[in-house]
Amino acid sequence: MEKPKNGGQYTCNEYREEMILLGLQKRLSSKGLTSEEKESLLKEIAKVEKQMGID
């Protein structure tokens, strides 16, 4: 994991973003998703990663 950008403090927002990303990744690994659902999840994952600065 990268060092926080704000002088070393780990914020609630950073934690929240990580939990959102983990949830999306877990949903992506679920069986029975349509290709549209997978595409939507991948787009959302990319969006969250960009917000986190890990894109």
Side-chain angles (χ1 to χ4, degrees), residues 10-20 51-52:
Y10 184 66
T11 67
C12 291
N13 285 336
E14 290 167 332
Y15 177 79
R16 180 180 176 274
E17 288 173 338
E18 286 183 9
M19 293 303 106
I20 290 170
Q51 288 174 342
M52 295 174 71

Side-chain angles (χ1 to χ4, degrees), residues 7-34:
Q9 290 187 344
Y10 184 66
T11 67
C12 291
N13 285 336
E14 290 167 332
Y15 177 79
R16 180 180 176 274
E17 288 173 338
E18 286 183 9
M19 293 303 106
I20 290 170
L21 182 58
L22 287 173
L24 290 169
Q25 291 170 336
K26 186 175 180 178
R27 285 176 50 198
L28 184 61
S29 68
S30 299
K31 294 184 180 187
L33 291 176
T34 65

